[in-house]
Amino acid sequence: QVQLVESGGGLVQAGGSLRLSCTASGRTFNNYVINWLRQAPGKEHEFVAAIIWSNDRTFYGDSVKGRFTISRAINTVFLQMDSLKPEDTAVYYCAARDVRHSNSDPYDYWGQGTQVTVSS
């Protein structure tokens, strides 16, 4: 059974840092892109960052460039979040998509999400 499990969310003051983890199991992800997405109350999912598992190439949403860093270990993808702002408050999800699919295709796997709250 394929699983993506997020952890590391919590409450932090503006300007602080958090590191989220997405642990993958149940299959190899060599042909996948692992994405971090977030959803604030009343809003749609927003792309945050992505990493191609096979070559570690990374991508970032405009709102987090220069503040967030995505990286990968053996079976875990990390999202280091620095200089956090209240507008970063959201549920953060990791999601995997086959690298051969287009960005408009649905994600193949989702995690359950972890709450990040940034107080002002």
Side-chain angles (χ1 to χ4, degrees):
Q1 180 181 1
V2 176
Q3 281 192 312
L4 298 175
V5 179
E6 302 97 333
S7 61
L11 174 64
V12 64
Q13 288 189 330
S17 299
L18 280 175
R19 189 175 82 156
L20 305 183
S21 300
C22 172
T23 301
S25 63
R27 66 160 299 139
T28 60
F29 285 88
N30 290 341
N31 291 321
Y32 281 79
V33 182
I34 307 298
N35 298 260
W36 282 100
L37 307 163
R38 66 187 181 187
Q39 187 173 31
K43 295 188 176 181
E44 296 189 353
H45 285 101
E46 177 189 6
F47 170 75
V48 176
I51 187 166
I52 299 176
W53 194 277
S54 59
N55 62 18
D56 291 337
R57 186 177 175 188
T58 59
F59 307 86
Y60 295 93
D62 289 340
S63 62
V64 306
K65 280 180 183 176
R67 300 188 298 122
F68 290 11
T69 304
I70 190 171
S71 62
R72 183 181 67 80
I74 296 175
N75 66 336
T76 301
V77 173
F78 303 100
L79 185 68
Q80 177 67 39
M81 305 187 296
D82 298 317
S83 302
L84 282 161
K85 305 174 182 180
E87 51 263 45
D88 294 318
T89 296
V91 178
Y92 283 70
Y93 300 89
C94 63
R97 182 192 285 127
D98 191 309
V99 71
R100 295 163 292 187
H101 296 169
S102 75
N103 288 340
S104 60
D105 287 331
Y107 292 98
D108 297 289
Y109 306 106
W110 284 85
Q112 82 288 353
T114 185
Q115 177 70 47
V116 170
T117 303
V118 183
S119 63
S120 56

